[in-house]
């Protein structure tokens, strides 16, 4: 029994340390996240793995409206990324999450976004990462999942390291 308790404590400490390291590896910043919209539509299950994926607005009493994929998995932004801009001085979006950061914060990508109610297709785009892979963007910001979000509706990545935020 004593060995089981010690093993459980060590496992819990390892998980906590891993989450802290993932957040710390991604640094700190206070950039402003884009507004995902004002619709109160809930997330509807869908398939983000195909050529087209639905992106929806979900709603939380504490967070308000926020972006999810079609399966209800929360989408995040990393404030150390550089969002793309449009206009005369247009710039390409840049993702600064790689290596250990990507292990905790995998990219969201779909060839075509089908926006849910309250979202505009023109707000979505795509960037090519330095490794040649593609990543979907929202209002210029690269989109990510958080591996610690176990199920639809989880938002455990919000404010991690004060650099990761749900898109609201």
């Amino acid at each position: 029994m004593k060995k089981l308790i010690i093993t459980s404590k060590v496992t819990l400490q390892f998980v906590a340390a891993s989450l802290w390291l993932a957040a710390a590896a991604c640094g700190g910043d206070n950039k402003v996240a884009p507004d995902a919209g004002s619709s109160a539509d809930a997330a509807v299950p869908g398939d983000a793995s195909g050529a087209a994926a639905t992106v929806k607005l979900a709603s939380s009493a504490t967070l308000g409206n926020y972006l999810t994929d079609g399966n209800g998995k929360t989408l995040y932004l990393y404030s150390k990324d550089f969002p793309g801009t449009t206009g005369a001085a247009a710039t390409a979006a840049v993702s600064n999450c790689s290596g250990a950061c990507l292990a905790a914060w995998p990219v969201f990508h779909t060839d075509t976004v089908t926006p849910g109610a309250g979202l505009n297709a023109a707000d979505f785009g795509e960037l090519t990462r330095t490794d040649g892979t593609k990543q979907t963007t929202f209002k210029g910001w690269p989109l990510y999942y958080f591996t610690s979000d176990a199920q639809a509706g989880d938002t455990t990545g919000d404010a991690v390291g004060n650099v990761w935020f749900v898109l609201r």
Side-chain angles (χ1 to χ4, degrees):
M1 180 69 155
K2 210 175 205 182
K3 185 176 182 174
L4 177 63
I5 292 171
I6 291 170
T7 302
S8 296
K9 282 183 178 179
V10 169
T11 301
L12 182 58
Q13 289 171 341
F14 175 75
V15 169
S18 296
L19 286 174
W20 182 84
L21 284 172
C26 297
D29 199 339
N30 289 321
K31 293 183 183 169
V32 177
D35 180 13
S38 58
S39 174
D41 294 341
V44 177
D47 182 7
S49 63
T54 300
V55 176
K56 299 277 186 181
L57 284 173
S59 185
S60 158
T62 56
L63 296 173
N65 296 325
Y66 62 94
L67 286 183
T68 70
D69 70 6
N71 294 317
K73 298 288 280 196
T74 303
L75 297 173
Y76 295 89
L77 72 79
Y78 178 39
S79 65
K80 289 196 168 192
D81 286 344
F82 294 102
T85 60
T86 58
T91 60
V94 175
S95 171
N96 287 308
C97 179
S98 61
C101 181
L102 275 182
W105 302 91
V107 303
F108 169 77
H109 179 258
T110 183
D111 291 332
T112 305
V113 172
T114 303
L119 296 172
N120 184 345
D123 288 335
F124 293 91
E126 181 180 78
L127 68 85
T128 301
R129 300 174 50 80
T130 57
D131 63 4
T133 62
K134 304 288 186 182
Q135 186 168 8
T136 301
T137 62
F138 175 73
K139 294 188 178 181
W141 289 91
L143 299 177
Y144 302 86
Y145 291 109
F146 184 41
T147 57
S148 291
D149 284 351
Q151 60 190 5
D154 284 353
T155 57
T156 60
D158 190 47
V160 168
N162 203 28
V163 295
W164 290 99
F165 300 98
V166 298
L167 282 142
R168 45 180 167 211

